[in-house]
Amino acid sequence: MAVFVIVKDASLSDALVLMLEQFGYDVVEVDDASAFVAGPPPEPGDTVVVDMNLQNVIGPRIVRWVNSLPTPLPSPKLVAFSGQSRDEIARRLTDLEIPVLLRMPFSAARLTPWL
């Protein structure tokens, strides 16, 4: 099982990858989110961690793509995060089904139960 990390900010992505690798996860850092969506889907049981980056449409696009995948059991998990306020998140993401949405900043203890 792999954890795909899709984060625009390079330093945040590096920190997440390092933390997850130290916890023993097989981490795939995704540099090109558009290529990720165009490529083969994650395997059942994988996890996709995505920065919603509300100024850009790629975060919601990834959420829609993961949610549209055929649902073998277990299906890929989806963990999204955002630094926006709760009101802004609710206003901009009302049409998305996001099972786990963490607000930044978050700790390893807050993230790892969802992987």
Side-chain angles (χ1 to χ4, degrees):
M1 293 186 287
V3 178
F4 294 87
V5 174
I6 308 167
V7 179
K8 185 176 182 177
D9 180 277
S11 59
L12 178 56
S13 182
D14 287 347
L16 277 172
V17 168
L18 179 61
M19 176 190 70
L20 293 170
E21 286 176 342
Q22 288 176 342
F23 283 127
Y25 292 99
D26 178 21
V27 181
V28 178
E29 187 173 13
V30 177
D31 295 326
D32 183 353
S34 294
F36 175 73
V37 173
E43 296 289 323
D46 287 347
T47 302
V48 177
V49 177
V50 61
D51 181 356
M52 292 308 293
N53 188 15
L54 295 176
Q55 274 59 31
N56 193 335
V57 296
I58 196 65
R61 181 175 170 209
I62 290 169
V63 168
R64 285 185 187 96
W65 181 73
V66 170
N67 285 338
S68 73
L69 294 173
T71 55
L73 295 176
S75 61
K77 299 176 204 169
L78 177 64
V79 178
F81 66 89
S82 175
Q84 299 292 324
S85 70
R86 289 179 191 210
D87 290 340
E88 190 70 12
I89 290 169
R91 187 173 67 77
R92 291 183 183 233
L93 303 179
T94 56
D95 67 324
L96 295 177
E97 184 179 329
I98 303 174
V100 179
L101 179 61
L102 303 175
R103 292 220 26 245
M104 289 179 49
F106 56 86
S107 65
R110 183 91 167 98
L111 172 64
T112 54
W114 302 108
L115 302 176

